[in-house]
PDB file of all heavy atoms in Angstrom:
ATOM      1  N   LEU A   1    -195.266 198.796 -86.776  1.00  0.00           N
ATOM      2  CA  LEU A   1    -196.143 198.342 -87.852  1.00  0.00           C
ATOM      3  C   LEU A   1    -195.492 198.474 -89.218  1.00  0.00           C
ATOM      4  O   LEU A   1    -195.883 197.798 -90.167  1.00  0.00           O
ATOM      5  CB  LEU A   1    -197.462 199.112 -87.834  1.00  0.00           C
ATOM      6  CG  LEU A   1    -198.379 198.833 -86.633  1.00  0.00           C
ATOM      7  CD1 LEU A   1    -199.680 199.586 -86.790  1.00  0.00           C
ATOM      8  CD2 LEU A   1    -198.637 197.358 -86.480  1.00  0.00           C
ATOM      9  N   ALA A   2    -194.492 199.330 -89.315  1.00  0.00           N
ATOM     10  CA  ALA A   2    -193.791 199.479 -90.583  1.00  0.00           C
ATOM     11  C   ALA A   2    -192.834 198.322 -90.823  1.00  0.00           C
ATOM     12  O   ALA A   2    -192.347 198.140 -91.931  1.00  0.00           O
ATOM     13  CB  ALA A   2    -193.009 200.786 -90.605  1.00  0.00           C
ATOM     14  N   LEU A   3    -192.591 197.514 -89.794  1.00  0.00           N
ATOM     15  CA  LEU A   3    -191.534 196.516 -89.878  1.00  0.00           C
ATOM     16  C   LEU A   3    -192.033 195.086 -89.775  1.00  0.00           C
ATOM     17  O   LEU A   3    -191.362 194.165 -90.247  1.00  0.00           O
ATOM     18  CB  LEU A   3    -190.509 196.751 -88.754  1.00  0.00           C
ATOM     19  CG  LEU A   3    -189.883 198.147 -88.706  1.00  0.00           C
ATOM     20  CD1 LEU A   3    -188.998 198.262 -87.469  1.00  0.00           C
ATOM     21  CD2 LEU A   3    -189.060 198.413 -89.946  1.00  0.00           C
ATOM     22  N   VAL A   4    -193.182 194.859 -89.148  1.00  0.00           N
ATOM     23  CA  VAL A   4    -193.542 193.479 -88.815  1.00  0.00           C
ATOM     24  C   VAL A   4    -194.485 192.817 -89.817  1.00  0.00           C
ATOM     25  O   VAL A   4    -194.863 191.668 -89.609  1.00  0.00           O
ATOM     26  CB  VAL A   4    -194.178 193.403 -87.409  1.00  0.00           C
ATOM     27  CG1 VAL A   4    -193.189 193.854 -86.372  1.00  0.00           C
ATOM     28  CG2 VAL A   4    -195.459 194.216 -87.334  1.00  0.00           C
ATOM     29  N   GLY A   5    -194.864 193.518 -90.882  1.00  0.00           N
ATOM     30  CA  GLY A   5    -195.613 192.824 -91.915  1.00  0.00           C
ATOM     31  C   GLY A   5    -197.003 193.365 -92.139  1.00  0.00           C
ATOM     32  O   GLY A   5    -197.334 194.476 -91.758  1.00  0.00           O
ATOM     33  N   THR A   6    -197.829 192.562 -92.759  1.00  0.00           N
ATOM     34  CA  THR A   6    -199.172 192.974 -93.165  1.00  0.00           C
ATOM     35  C   THR A   6    -200.146 192.871 -92.014  1.00  0.00           C
ATOM     36  O   THR A   6    -199.834 192.357 -90.939  1.00  0.00           O
ATOM     37  CB  THR A   6    -199.660 192.063 -94.302  1.00  0.00           C
ATOM     38  OG1 THR A   6    -199.760 190.731 -93.791  1.00  0.00           O
ATOM     39  CG2 THR A   6    -198.686 192.075 -95.467  1.00  0.00           C
ATOM     40  N   ALA A   7    -201.379 193.348 -92.273  1.00  0.00           N
ATOM     41  CA  ALA A   7    -202.397 193.314 -91.231  1.00  0.00           C
ATOM     42  C   ALA A   7    -202.686 191.893 -90.776  1.00  0.00           C
ATOM     43  O   ALA A   7    -202.905 191.631 -89.601  1.00  0.00           O
ATOM     44  CB  ALA A   7    -203.676 193.985 -91.741  1.00  0.00           C
ATOM     45  N   SER A   8    -202.695 190.946 -91.702  1.00  0.00           N
ATOM     46  CA  SER A   8    -202.976 189.565 -91.329  1.00  0.00           C
ATOM     47  C   SER A   8    -201.899 189.025 -90.406  1.00  0.00           C
ATOM     48  O   SER A   8    -202.175 188.296 -89.461  1.00  0.00           O
ATOM     49  CB  SER A   8    -203.083 188.690 -92.580  1.00  0.00           C
ATOM     50  OG  SER A   8    -201.865 188.725 -93.312  1.00  0.00           O
ATOM     51  N   ALA A   9    -200.649 189.411 -90.673  1.00  0.00           N
ATOM     52  CA  ALA A   9    -199.555 188.971 -89.812  1.00  0.00           C
ATOM     53  C   ALA A   9    -199.676 189.592 -88.428  1.00  0.00           C
ATOM     54  O   ALA A   9    -199.424 188.943 -87.413  1.00  0.00           O
ATOM     55  CB  ALA A   9    -198.209 189.320 -90.432  1.00  0.00           C
ATOM     56  N   GLN A  10    -200.122 190.840 -88.387  1.00  0.00           N
ATOM     57  CA  GLN A  10    -200.285 191.511 -87.101  1.00  0.00           C
ATOM     58  C   GLN A  10    -201.372 190.830 -86.282  1.00  0.00           C
ATOM     59  O   GLN A  10    -201.265 190.695 -85.066  1.00  0.00           O
ATOM     60  CB  GLN A  10    -200.636 192.968 -87.326  1.00  0.00           C
ATOM     61  CG  GLN A  10    -199.500 193.781 -87.953  1.00  0.00           C
ATOM     62  CD  GLN A  10    -199.996 195.093 -88.499  1.00  0.00           C
ATOM     63  OE1 GLN A  10    -201.058 195.560 -88.103  1.00  0.00           O
ATOM     64  NE2 GLN A  10    -199.262 195.691 -89.412  1.00  0.00           N
ATOM     65  N   ASP A  11    -202.447 190.395 -86.958  1.00  0.00           N
ATOM     66  CA  ASP A  11    -203.535 189.743 -86.255  1.00  0.00           C
ATOM     67  C   ASP A  11    -203.079 188.461 -85.573  1.00  0.00           C
ATOM     68  O   ASP A  11    -203.625 188.063 -84.546  1.00  0.00           O
ATOM     69  CB  ASP A  11    -204.675 189.429 -87.233  1.00  0.00           C
ATOM     70  CG  ASP A  11    -205.341 190.703 -87.743  1.00  0.00           C
ATOM     71  OD1 ASP A  11    -205.201 191.748 -87.089  1.00  0.00           O
ATOM     72  OD2 ASP A  11    -206.006 190.636 -88.791  1.00  0.00           O
ATOM     73  N   GLU A  12    -202.073 187.803 -86.142  1.00  0.00           N
ATOM     74  CA  GLU A  12    -201.570 186.575 -85.552  1.00  0.00           C
ATOM     75  C   GLU A  12    -200.760 186.862 -84.291  1.00  0.00           C
ATOM     76  O   GLU A  12    -200.617 186.008 -83.429  1.00  0.00           O
ATOM     77  CB  GLU A  12    -200.680 185.834 -86.564  1.00  0.00           C
ATOM     78  CG  GLU A  12    -201.436 185.373 -87.807  1.00  0.00           C
ATOM     79  CD  GLU A  12    -200.485 184.821 -88.860  1.00  0.00           C
ATOM     80  OE1 GLU A  12    -199.267 184.749 -88.562  1.00  0.00           O
ATOM     81  OE2 GLU A  12    -200.949 184.460 -89.938  1.00  0.00           O
ATOM     82  N   GLY A  13    -200.234 188.062 -84.187  1.00  0.00           N
ATOM     83  CA  GLY A  13    -199.432 188.429 -83.028  1.00  0.00           C
ATOM     84  C   GLY A  13    -197.970 188.103 -83.241  1.00  0.00           C
ATOM     85  O   GLY A  13    -197.611 187.002 -83.654  1.00  0.00           O
ATOM     86  N   LYS A  14    -197.101 189.085 -83.013  1.00  0.00           N
ATOM     87  CA  LYS A  14    -195.668 188.910 -83.180  1.00  0.00           C
ATOM     88  C   LYS A  14    -194.949 189.401 -81.936  1.00  0.00           C
ATOM     89  O   LYS A  14    -195.369 190.353 -81.298  1.00  0.00           O
ATOM     90  CB  LYS A  14    -195.156 189.682 -84.406  1.00  0.00           C
ATOM     91  CG  LYS A  14    -195.758 189.227 -85.732  1.00  0.00           C
ATOM     92  CD  LYS A  14    -195.279 187.851 -86.120  1.00  0.00           C
ATOM     93  CE  LYS A  14    -195.851 187.426 -87.461  1.00  0.00           C
ATOM     94  NZ  LYS A  14    -195.393 186.092 -87.864  1.00  0.00           N
ATOM     95  N   THR A  15    -193.862 188.752 -81.585  1.00  0.00           N
ATOM     96  CA  THR A  15    -193.049 189.160 -80.454  1.00  0.00           C
ATOM     97  C   THR A  15    -191.632 189.415 -80.922  1.00  0.00           C
ATOM     98  O   THR A  15    -191.029 188.577 -81.592  1.00  0.00           O
ATOM     99  CB  THR A  15    -193.025 188.073 -79.356  1.00  0.00           C
ATOM    100  OG1 THR A  15    -194.362 187.833 -78.918  1.00  0.00           O
ATOM    101  CG2 THR A  15    -192.181 188.522 -78.173  1.00  0.00           C
ATOM    102  N   LEU A  16    -191.103 190.573 -80.587  1.00  0.00           N
ATOM    103  CA  LEU A  16    -189.729 190.926 -80.919  1.00  0.00           C
ATOM    104  C   LEU A  16    -188.876 190.734 -79.671  1.00  0.00           C
ATOM    105  O   LEU A  16    -189.110 191.356 -78.648  1.00  0.00           O
ATOM    106  CB  LEU A  16    -189.637 192.381 -81.387  1.00  0.00           C
ATOM    107  CG  LEU A  16    -188.227 192.929 -81.649  1.00  0.00           C
ATOM    108  CD1 LEU A  16    -187.587 192.205 -82.826  1.00  0.00           C
ATOM    109  CD2 LEU A  16    -188.260 194.430 -81.901  1.00  0.00           C
ATOM    110  N   VAL A  17    -187.915 189.830 -79.753  1.00  0.00           N
ATOM    111  CA  VAL A  17    -187.004 189.577 -78.642  1.00  0.00           C
ATOM    112  C   VAL A  17    -185.634 190.109 -79.026  1.00  0.00           C
ATOM    113  O   VAL A  17    -185.104 189.776 -80.081  1.00  0.00           O
ATOM    114  CB  VAL A  17    -186.906 188.065 -78.329  1.00  0.00           C
ATOM    115  CG1 VAL A  17    -185.936 187.829 -77.175  1.00  0.00           C
ATOM    116  CG2 VAL A  17    -188.283 187.512 -77.992  1.00  0.00           C
ATOM    117  N   THR A  18    -185.064 190.959 -78.179  1.00  0.00           N
ATOM    118  CA  THR A  18    -183.791 191.564 -78.500  1.00  0.00           C
ATOM    119  C   THR A  18    -182.927 191.645 -77.259  1.00  0.00           C
ATOM    120  O   THR A  18    -183.433 191.674 -76.136  1.00  0.00           O
ATOM    121  CB  THR A  18    -183.994 192.974 -79.097  1.00  0.00           C
ATOM    122  OG1 THR A  18    -182.720 193.516 -79.466  1.00  0.00           O
ATOM    123  CG2 THR A  18    -184.666 193.901 -78.101  1.00  0.00           C
ATOM    124  N   GLY A  19    -181.631 191.685 -77.443  1.00  0.00           N
ATOM    125  CA  GLY A  19    -180.708 191.812 -76.324  1.00  0.00           C
ATOM    126  C   GLY A  19    -179.976 193.132 -76.411  1.00  0.00           C
ATOM    127  O   GLY A  19    -179.367 193.443 -77.423  1.00  0.00           O
ATOM    128  N   ILE A  20    -180.066 193.927 -75.369  1.00  0.00           N
ATOM    129  CA  ILE A  20    -179.412 195.231 -75.332  1.00  0.00           C
ATOM    130  C   ILE A  20    -178.591 195.320 -74.052  1.00  0.00           C
ATOM    131  O   ILE A  20    -179.100 195.072 -72.955  1.00  0.00           O
ATOM    132  CB  ILE A  20    -180.434 196.376 -75.374  1.00  0.00           C
ATOM    133  CG1 ILE A  20    -181.222 196.331 -76.691  1.00  0.00           C
ATOM    134  CG2 ILE A  20    -179.749 197.729 -75.222  1.00  0.00           C
ATOM    135  CD1 ILE A  20    -182.324 197.356 -76.781  1.00  0.00           C
ATOM    136  N   SER A  21    -177.342 195.670 -74.182  1.00  0.00           N
ATOM    137  CA  SER A  21    -176.470 195.817 -73.028  1.00  0.00           C
ATOM    138  C   SER A  21    -176.808 197.105 -72.301  1.00  0.00           C
ATOM    139  O   SER A  21    -176.687 198.197 -72.863  1.00  0.00           O
ATOM    140  CB  SER A  21    -175.001 195.831 -73.469  1.00  0.00           C
ATOM    141  OG  SER A  21    -174.158 196.109 -72.376  1.00  0.00           O
ATOM    142  N   MET A  22    -177.244 197.003 -71.054  1.00  0.00           N
ATOM    143  CA  MET A  22    -177.633 198.173 -70.270  1.00  0.00           C
ATOM    144  C   MET A  22    -176.417 198.709 -69.524  1.00  0.00           C
ATOM    145  O   MET A  22    -176.344 198.697 -68.301  1.00  0.00           O
ATOM    146  CB  MET A  22    -178.759 197.811 -69.305  1.00  0.00           C
ATOM    147  CG  MET A  22    -179.991 197.241 -69.985  1.00  0.00           C
ATOM    148  SD  MET A  22    -180.890 198.475 -70.942  1.00  0.00           S
ATOM    149  CE  MET A  22    -181.709 199.357 -69.641  1.00  0.00           C
ATOM    150  N   VAL A  23    -175.443 199.173 -70.278  1.00  0.00           N
ATOM    151  CA  VAL A  23    -174.228 199.698 -69.687  1.00  0.00           C
ATOM    152  C   VAL A  23    -174.551 200.954 -68.880  1.00  0.00           C
ATOM    153  O   VAL A  23    -175.198 201.870 -69.363  1.00  0.00           O
ATOM    154  CB  VAL A  23    -173.183 200.027 -70.776  1.00  0.00           C
ATOM    155  CG1 VAL A  23    -171.933 200.635 -70.137  1.00  0.00           C
ATOM    156  CG2 VAL A  23    -172.830 198.775 -71.558  1.00  0.00           C
ATOM    157  N   GLY A  24    -174.101 200.984 -67.621  1.00  0.00           N
ATOM    158  CA  GLY A  24    -174.318 202.167 -66.796  1.00  0.00           C
ATOM    159  C   GLY A  24    -175.639 202.171 -66.055  1.00  0.00           C
ATOM    160  O   GLY A  24    -175.992 203.168 -65.431  1.00  0.00           O
ATOM    161  N   GLY A  25    -176.398 201.062 -66.120  1.00  0.00           N
ATOM    162  CA  GLY A  25    -177.654 200.998 -65.374  1.00  0.00           C
ATOM    163  C   GLY A  25    -178.845 201.414 -66.207  1.00  0.00           C
ATOM    164  O   GLY A  25    -178.844 201.306 -67.427  1.00  0.00           O
ATOM    165  N   ASP A  26    -179.889 201.913 -65.544  1.00  0.00           N
ATOM    166  CA  ASP A  26    -181.128 202.280 -66.217  1.00  0.00           C
ATOM    167  C   ASP A  26    -180.891 203.372 -67.265  1.00  0.00           C
ATOM    168  O   ASP A  26    -180.046 204.238 -67.098  1.00  0.00           O
ATOM    169  CB  ASP A  26    -182.157 202.789 -65.205  1.00  0.00           C
ATOM    170  CG  ASP A  26    -182.690 201.683 -64.313  1.00  0.00           C
ATOM    171  OD1 ASP A  26    -182.529 200.509 -64.692  1.00  0.00           O
ATOM    172  OD2 ASP A  26    -183.255 202.005 -63.253  1.00  0.00           O
ATOM    173  N   LEU A  27    -181.684 203.311 -68.322  1.00  0.00           N
ATOM    174  CA  LEU A  27    -181.579 204.317 -69.372  1.00  0.00           C
ATOM    175  C   LEU A  27    -182.098 205.661 -68.874  1.00  0.00           C
ATOM    176  O   LEU A  27    -183.166 205.741 -68.278  1.00  0.00           O
ATOM    177  CB  LEU A  27    -182.397 203.875 -70.593  1.00  0.00           C
ATOM    178  CG  LEU A  27    -181.962 202.576 -71.267  1.00  0.00           C
ATOM    179  CD1 LEU A  27    -182.955 202.207 -72.356  1.00  0.00           C
ATOM    180  CD2 LEU A  27    -180.576 202.714 -71.850  1.00  0.00           C
ATOM    181  N   GLU A  28    -181.351 206.703 -69.143  1.00  0.00           N
ATOM    182  CA  GLU A  28    -181.784 208.044 -68.763  1.00  0.00           C
ATOM    183  C   GLU A  28    -182.850 208.574 -69.703  1.00  0.00           C
ATOM    184  O   GLU A  28    -183.702 209.367 -69.311  1.00  0.00           O
ATOM    185  CB  GLU A  28    -180.581 208.991 -68.758  1.00  0.00           C
ATOM    186  CG  GLU A  28    -179.583 208.721 -67.651  1.00  0.00           C
ATOM    187  CD  GLU A  28    -180.172 208.966 -66.273  1.00  0.00           C
ATOM    188  OE1 GLU A  28    -180.854 209.991 -66.099  1.00  0.00           O
ATOM    189  OE2 GLU A  28    -179.966 208.125 -65.383  1.00  0.00           O
ATOM    190  N   THR A  29    -182.798 208.152 -70.973  1.00  0.00           N
ATOM    191  CA  THR A  29    -183.753 208.652 -71.957  1.00  0.00           C
ATOM    192  C   THR A  29    -183.769 207.730 -73.160  1.00  0.00           C
ATOM    193  O   THR A  29    -182.806 207.002 -73.410  1.00  0.00           O
ATOM    194  CB  THR A  29    -183.380 210.079 -72.418  1.00  0.00           C
ATOM    195  OG1 THR A  29    -184.395 210.558 -73.333  1.00  0.00           O
ATOM    196  CG2 THR A  29    -182.042 210.105 -73.124  1.00  0.00           C
ATOM    197  N   ILE A  30    -184.866 207.732 -73.872  1.00  0.00           N
ATOM    198  CA  ILE A  30    -184.942 207.132 -75.207  1.00  0.00           C
ATOM    199  C   ILE A  30    -185.562 208.149 -76.166  1.00  0.00           C
ATOM    200  O   ILE A  30    -186.245 207.811 -77.115  1.00  0.00           O
ATOM    201  CB  ILE A  30    -185.719 205.798 -75.216  1.00  0.00           C
ATOM    202  CG1 ILE A  30    -187.039 205.900 -74.445  1.00  0.00           C
ATOM    203  CG2 ILE A  30    -184.869 204.676 -74.669  1.00  0.00           C
ATOM    204  CD1 ILE A  30    -187.873 204.632 -74.496  1.00  0.00           C
ATOM    205  N   ASP A  31    -185.286 209.410 -75.875  1.00  0.00           N
ATOM    206  CA  ASP A  31    -185.684 210.538 -76.717  1.00  0.00           C
ATOM    207  C   ASP A  31    -184.653 210.643 -77.846  1.00  0.00           C
ATOM    208  O   ASP A  31    -183.457 210.773 -77.577  1.00  0.00           O
ATOM    209  CB  ASP A  31    -185.682 211.796 -75.857  1.00  0.00           C
ATOM    210  CG  ASP A  31    -186.123 213.043 -76.596  1.00  0.00           C
ATOM    211  OD1 ASP A  31    -185.876 213.133 -77.813  1.00  0.00           O
ATOM    212  OD2 ASP A  31    -186.702 213.936 -75.948  1.00  0.00           O
ATOM    213  N   PRO A  32    -185.069 210.605 -79.116  1.00  0.00           N
ATOM    214  CA  PRO A  32    -184.101 210.666 -80.217  1.00  0.00           C
ATOM    215  C   PRO A  32    -183.209 211.901 -80.181  1.00  0.00           C
ATOM    216  O   PRO A  32    -182.029 211.822 -80.535  1.00  0.00           O
ATOM    217  CB  PRO A  32    -184.984 210.665 -81.470  1.00  0.00           C
ATOM    218  CG  PRO A  32    -186.238 210.006 -81.041  1.00  0.00           C
ATOM    219  CD  PRO A  32    -186.446 210.420 -79.616  1.00  0.00           C
ATOM    220  N   SER A  33    -183.745 213.031 -79.770  1.00  0.00           N
ATOM    221  CA  SER A  33    -182.946 214.253 -79.730  1.00  0.00           C
ATOM    222  C   SER A  33    -181.884 214.217 -78.641  1.00  0.00           C
ATOM    223  O   SER A  33    -180.851 214.881 -78.749  1.00  0.00           O
ATOM    224  CB  SER A  33    -183.843 215.476 -79.509  1.00  0.00           C
ATOM    225  OG  SER A  33    -184.621 215.758 -80.650  1.00  0.00           O
ATOM    226  N   LEU A  34    -182.118 213.447 -77.588  1.00  0.00           N
ATOM    227  CA  LEU A  34    -181.244 213.465 -76.420  1.00  0.00           C
ATOM    228  C   LEU A  34    -180.387 212.223 -76.263  1.00  0.00           C
ATOM    229  O   LEU A  34    -179.398 212.250 -75.529  1.00  0.00           O
ATOM    230  CB  LEU A  34    -182.086 213.654 -75.145  1.00  0.00           C
ATOM    231  CG  LEU A  34    -182.931 214.928 -75.065  1.00  0.00           C
ATOM    232  CD1 LEU A  34    -183.744 214.939 -73.784  1.00  0.00           C
ATOM    233  CD2 LEU A  34    -182.065 216.162 -75.162  1.00  0.00           C
ATOM    234  N   SER A  35    -180.751 211.126 -76.902  1.00  0.00           N
ATOM    235  CA  SER A  35    -180.028 209.870 -76.711  1.00  0.00           C
ATOM    236  C   SER A  35    -178.582 209.995 -77.158  1.00  0.00           C
ATOM    237  O   SER A  35    -178.292 210.587 -78.202  1.00  0.00           O
ATOM    238  CB  SER A  35    -180.721 208.742 -77.480  1.00  0.00           C
ATOM    239  OG  SER A  35    -181.992 208.469 -76.925  1.00  0.00           O
ATOM    240  N   GLN A  36    -177.659 209.398 -76.361  1.00  0.00           N
ATOM    241  CA  GLN A  36    -176.247 209.482 -76.702  1.00  0.00           C
ATOM    242  C   GLN A  36    -175.461 208.226 -76.394  1.00  0.00           C
ATOM    243  O   GLN A  36    -174.376 208.033 -76.939  1.00  0.00           O
ATOM    244  CB  GLN A  36    -175.609 210.672 -76.000  1.00  0.00           C
ATOM    245  CG  GLN A  36    -175.767 210.691 -74.489  1.00  0.00           C
ATOM    246  CD  GLN A  36    -175.163 211.934 -73.870  1.00  0.00           C
ATOM    247  OE1 GLN A  36    -174.026 212.291 -74.163  1.00  0.00           O
ATOM    248  NE2 GLN A  36    -175.923 212.619 -73.020  1.00  0.00           N
ATOM    249  N   THR A  37    -175.959 207.335 -75.526  1.00  0.00           N
ATOM    250  CA  THR A  37    -175.239 206.099 -75.257  1.00  0.00           C
ATOM    251  C   THR A  37    -175.651 205.027 -76.256  1.00  0.00           C
ATOM    252  O   THR A  37    -176.707 205.114 -76.897  1.00  0.00           O
ATOM    253  CB  THR A  37    -175.511 205.588 -73.834  1.00  0.00           C
ATOM    254  OG1 THR A  37    -176.881 205.132 -73.755  1.00  0.00           O
ATOM    255  CG2 THR A  37    -175.284 206.685 -72.805  1.00  0.00           C
ATOM    256  N   SER A  38    -174.836 203.995 -76.373  1.00  0.00           N
ATOM    257  CA  SER A  38    -175.127 202.928 -77.333  1.00  0.00           C
ATOM    258  C   SER A  38    -176.436 202.231 -77.012  1.00  0.00           C
ATOM    259  O   SER A  38    -177.196 201.862 -77.921  1.00  0.00           O
ATOM    260  CB  SER A  38    -173.977 201.913 -77.363  1.00  0.00           C
ATOM    261  OG  SER A  38    -173.771 201.346 -76.078  1.00  0.00           O
ATOM    262  N   SER A  39    -176.746 202.047 -75.720  1.00  0.00           N
ATOM    263  CA  SER A  39    -177.998 201.394 -75.334  1.00  0.00           C
ATOM    264  C   SER A  39    -179.207 202.239 -75.717  1.00  0.00           C
ATOM    265  O   SER A  39    -180.202 201.731 -76.239  1.00  0.00           O
ATOM    266  CB  SER A  39    -178.005 201.121 -73.825  1.00  0.00           C
ATOM    267  OG  SER A  39    -176.953 200.269 -73.458  1.00  0.00           O
ATOM    268  N   GLN A  40    -179.124 203.528 -75.445  1.00  0.00           N
ATOM    269  CA  GLN A  40    -180.221 204.428 -75.801  1.00  0.00           C
ATOM    270  C   GLN A  40    -180.435 204.462 -77.302  1.00  0.00           C
ATOM    271  O   GLN A  40    -181.578 204.356 -77.788  1.00  0.00           O
ATOM    272  CB  GLN A  40    -179.914 205.840 -75.279  1.00  0.00           C
ATOM    273  CG  GLN A  40    -179.864 205.963 -73.775  1.00  0.00           C
ATOM    274  CD  GLN A  40    -179.218 207.249 -73.312  1.00  0.00           C
ATOM    275  OE1 GLN A  40    -178.745 208.054 -74.118  1.00  0.00           O
ATOM    276  NE2 GLN A  40    -179.165 207.456 -72.008  1.00  0.00           N
ATOM    277  N   ILE A  41    -179.354 204.588 -78.041  1.00  0.00           N
ATOM    278  CA  ILE A  41    -179.449 204.701 -79.494  1.00  0.00           C
ATOM    279  C   ILE A  41    -179.991 203.417 -80.105  1.00  0.00           C
ATOM    280  O   ILE A  41    -180.776 203.452 -81.061  1.00  0.00           O
ATOM    281  CB  ILE A  41    -178.078 205.064 -80.087  1.00  0.00           C
ATOM    282  CG1 ILE A  41    -177.667 206.470 -79.631  1.00  0.00           C
ATOM    283  CG2 ILE A  41    -178.098 204.994 -81.610  1.00  0.00           C
ATOM    284  CD1 ILE A  41    -176.219 206.798 -79.879  1.00  0.00           C
ATOM    285  N   GLU A  42    -179.602 202.259 -79.542  1.00  0.00           N
ATOM    286  CA  GLU A  42    -180.097 200.984 -80.066  1.00  0.00           C
ATOM    287  C   GLU A  42    -181.616 200.897 -79.940  1.00  0.00           C
ATOM    288  O   GLU A  42    -182.304 200.459 -80.861  1.00  0.00           O
ATOM    289  CB  GLU A  42    -179.440 199.818 -79.334  1.00  0.00           C
ATOM    290  CG  GLU A  42    -179.921 198.443 -79.783  1.00  0.00           C
ATOM    291  CD  GLU A  42    -179.635 198.155 -81.247  1.00  0.00           C
ATOM    292  OE1 GLU A  42    -178.715 198.784 -81.824  1.00  0.00           O
ATOM    293  OE2 GLU A  42    -180.333 197.301 -81.832  1.00  0.00           O
ATOM    294  N   ILE A  43    -182.152 201.334 -78.821  1.00  0.00           N
ATOM    295  CA  ILE A  43    -183.608 201.302 -78.636  1.00  0.00           C
ATOM    296  C   ILE A  43    -184.290 202.279 -79.586  1.00  0.00           C
ATOM    297  O   ILE A  43    -185.315 201.967 -80.203  1.00  0.00           O
ATOM    298  CB  ILE A  43    -183.978 201.597 -77.177  1.00  0.00           C
ATOM    299  CG1 ILE A  43    -183.511 200.443 -76.292  1.00  0.00           C
ATOM    300  CG2 ILE A  43    -185.477 201.814 -77.022  1.00  0.00           C
ATOM    301  CD1 ILE A  43    -183.778 200.625 -74.825  1.00  0.00           C
ATOM    302  N   VAL A  44    -183.728 203.471 -79.718  1.00  0.00           N
ATOM    303  CA  VAL A  44    -184.291 204.439 -80.659  1.00  0.00           C
ATOM    304  C   VAL A  44    -184.306 203.869 -82.070  1.00  0.00           C
ATOM    305  O   VAL A  44    -185.293 204.006 -82.805  1.00  0.00           O
ATOM    306  CB  VAL A  44    -183.486 205.761 -80.623  1.00  0.00           C
ATOM    307  CG1 VAL A  44    -183.914 206.685 -81.761  1.00  0.00           C
ATOM    308  CG2 VAL A  44    -183.682 206.463 -79.289  1.00  0.00           C
ATOM    309  N   ASN A  45    -183.229 203.197 -82.461  1.00  0.00           N
ATOM    310  CA  ASN A  45    -183.162 202.614 -83.806  1.00  0.00           C
ATOM    311  C   ASN A  45    -184.199 201.522 -84.015  1.00  0.00           C
ATOM    312  O   ASN A  45    -184.646 201.287 -85.139  1.00  0.00           O
ATOM    313  CB  ASN A  45    -181.763 202.062 -84.066  1.00  0.00           C
ATOM    314  CG  ASN A  45    -180.753 203.139 -84.393  1.00  0.00           C
ATOM    315  OD1 ASN A  45    -181.120 204.208 -84.873  1.00  0.00           O
ATOM    316  ND2 ASN A  45    -179.484 202.876 -84.127  1.00  0.00           N
ATOM    317  N   GLN A  46    -184.587 200.842 -82.941  1.00  0.00           N
ATOM    318  CA  GLN A  46    -185.610 199.810 -83.064  1.00  0.00           C
ATOM    319  C   GLN A  46    -187.022 200.387 -83.039  1.00  0.00           C
ATOM    320  O   GLN A  46    -187.970 199.757 -83.506  1.00  0.00           O
ATOM    321  CB  GLN A  46    -185.452 198.774 -81.948  1.00  0.00           C
ATOM    322  CG  GLN A  46    -184.185 197.951 -82.076  1.00  0.00           C
ATOM    323  CD  GLN A  46    -184.114 196.817 -81.083  1.00  0.00           C
ATOM    324  OE1 GLN A  46    -185.115 196.415 -80.511  1.00  0.00           O
ATOM    325  NE2 GLN A  46    -182.924 196.272 -80.890  1.00  0.00           N
TER     326      GLN A  46
END
């Protein structure tokens, strides 16, 4: 909600499409304290 705009924009509905390389298979975590791979960190940053 901090990134996609005002309340009126939210009411219209927004979809975020992104491409993330899942190197090494499934993500072990998306915990900010524990994330260490580029894929994990990219999701945390988003």
Side-chain angles (χ1 to χ4, degrees):
L1 292 184
L3 304 175
V4 298
T6 64
S8 60
Q10 293 164 20
D11 293 340
E12 296 172 4
K14 298 291 182 180
T15 301
L16 175 66
V17 179
T18 183
I20 298 176
S21 174
M22 303 290 283
V23 178
D26 290 342
L27 298 174
E28 291 295 316
T29 183
I30 47 177
D31 182 328
S33 289
L34 301 178
S35 293
Q36 56 183 311
T37 69
S38 59
S39 299
Q40 295 165 357
I41 294 166
E42 178 61 23
I43 292 178
V44 170
N45 283 335
Q46 292 187 18

